[in-house]
């Protein structure tokens, strides 16, 4: 529990794809001693399961069945956070370009958002938490004590994503990657339910010309103040 109030500490980090939210959030959560929740991973896992079970994204009965049976669990494995979907470790499987290309379509389904938001709020009710995503400051944790909106230029975000993919041995076509990220941002920003949007009370941080350590330090100092 946080020292300042008797309520659990809530920190929201939102922003477009590839702005560095998850890497920053992981380190920051460790330094602050709170739980880190990667909400994008949850939407990716729903997408993975729908593709595995061959449920079409417009098959609402099929999607509802999926949501009724899906069990998502974050577990620590050798100091790394892994995500299990119905008992299967999907940590790597949810990072493929195929999942990235389909996740916006799944995350615009209102029933999917409702189910994920409920799970996220339940976790935040009992523990100090730092969540990253698209709608944390606006919808999931509207009363979060700290809200940040991390962004960076499209080219810089694509460059960072390319590095991540290359480190995993996934071949990258830079032009295609830029187009894919731009399209995902557009879909995430234009959807009807809980679109990607900066909360009015969120601090905007453009990370284009900042190093990773500078971003972590920036957020850490604002929280400690
Ligand atoms: O953070 P990420 O790139 O892993 O997120 C994958 C997708 O999940 C993103 O394109 C939109 C969706 N998402 C969402 O709609 N709401 C969130 N809170 C987090 C992610």
């Amino acid at each position: 529990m946080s020292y300042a109030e008797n309520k659990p500490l809530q920190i929201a980090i939102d922003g477009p794809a590839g702005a560095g939210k998850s890497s920053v959030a992981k380190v920051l959560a460790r330094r602050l001693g709170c739980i880190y929740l990667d909400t994008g991973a949850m939407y990716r896992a729903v997408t993975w399961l729908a593709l595995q079970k061959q449920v079409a994204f417009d098959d609402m009965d099929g999607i509802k069945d999926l949501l009724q049976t899906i069990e998502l669990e974050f577990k620590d494995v050798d100091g790394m956070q892994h995500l299990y979907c119905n008992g299967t470790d999907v940590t790597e499987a949810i990072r493929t370009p195929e999942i990235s290309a389909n996740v916006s379509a799944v995350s615009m389904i209102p029933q999917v958002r409702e189910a994920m938001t409920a799970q996220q709020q339940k976790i935040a009710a009992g523990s100090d938490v730092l969540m990253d995503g698209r709608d944390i400051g606006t919808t999931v944790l509207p009363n979060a004590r700290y809200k940040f909106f991390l962004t960076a230029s499209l080219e810089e975000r694509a460059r960072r994503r390319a590095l991540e993919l290359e480190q995993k041995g996934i071949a990258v076509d830079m032009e295609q990657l830029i187009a894919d990220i731009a399209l995902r941002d557009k879909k995430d920003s234009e959807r009807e339910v809980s679109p990607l949007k900066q909360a009015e009370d969120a601090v905007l941080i453009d990370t284009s010309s900042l190093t990773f350590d500078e971003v972590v330090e920036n957020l850490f100092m604002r929280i400690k103040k």
Side-chain angles (χ1 to χ4, degrees):
M1 287 284 159
S2 52
Y3 42 85
E5 282 176 37
N6 230 355
K7 288 190 293 188
L9 174 67
Q10 297 182 341
I11 303 170
I13 304 184
D14 291 301
K21 302 183 297 295
S22 321
S23 328
V24 167
K26 262 178 228 160
V27 172
L28 200 57
R30 203 171 309 133
R31 273 179 82 174
L32 294 166
C34 54
I35 290 177
Y36 164 55
L37 195 69
D38 177 351
T39 64
M42 297 170 73
Y43 288 96
R44 287 173 179 270
V46 179
T47 308
W48 175 84
L49 192 62
L51 291 172
Q52 282 280 310
K53 301 226 177 237
Q54 302 187 340
V55 175
F57 303 157
D58 59 356
D59 168 8
M60 275 314 123
D61 290 336
I63 294 285
K64 277 186 206 156
D65 283 350
L66 273 193
L67 292 171
Q68 259 161 18
T69 54
I70 194 167
E71 267 186 39
L72 297 177
E73 200 186 351
F74 287 96
K75 276 194 226 169
D76 200 71
V77 179
D78 299 331
M80 287 257 300
Q81 199 178 69
H82 282 229
L83 178 59
Y84 289 76
C85 178
N86 294 349
T88 303
D89 185 345
V90 295
T91 314
E92 291 296 323
I94 60 171
R95 300 286 159 196
T96 61
E98 189 195 10
I99 299 291
S100 298
N102 286 289
V103 66
S104 292
V106 171
S107 51
M108 66 177 66
I109 302 170
Q111 287 87 347
V112 171
R113 301 212 69 78
E114 215 175 281
M116 293 303 111
T117 301
Q119 285 201 23
Q120 292 153 12
Q121 289 175 335
K122 201 167 150 194
I123 294 168
S127 325
D128 290 349
V129 76
L130 190 160
M131 279 190 205
D132 78 338
R134 303 293 187 285
D135 62 338
I136 310 304
T138 53
T139 306
V140 181
L141 305 176
N143 300 317
R145 182 125 42 103
Y146 300 97
K147 295 184 186 179
F148 300 99
F149 195 85
L150 290 197
T151 188
S153 68
L154 178 59
E155 289 68 25
E156 177 59 18
R157 291 188 284 125
R159 196 188 63 79
R160 292 177 190 168
R161 237 332 115 82
L163 270 178
E164 265 173 39
L165 291 170
E166 278 162 3
Q167 276 164 5
K168 288 180 188 161
I170 299 176
V172 177
D173 171 341
M174 203 56 188
E175 261 178 46
Q176 187 61 47
L177 190 59
I178 290 179
D180 290 348
I181 292 180
L183 180 65
R184 191 141 68 90
D185 286 347
K186 183 171 155 57
K187 287 185 188 163
D188 291 343
S189 308
E190 291 180 354
R191 69 172 174 237
E192 269 178 39
V193 187
S194 305
L196 162 65
K197 192 169 163 242
Q198 183 183 342
E200 274 176 20
D201 50 351
V203 176
L204 174 68
I205 298 176
D206 187 334
T207 70
S208 302
S209 58
L210 298 177
T211 64
F212 174 77
D213 288 344
E214 284 170 341
V215 180
V216 173
E217 206 51 35
N218 187 322
L219 269 61
F220 184 74
M221 291 316 288
R222 287 172 195 271
I223 293 166
K224 281 292 151 189
K225 251 199 253 166

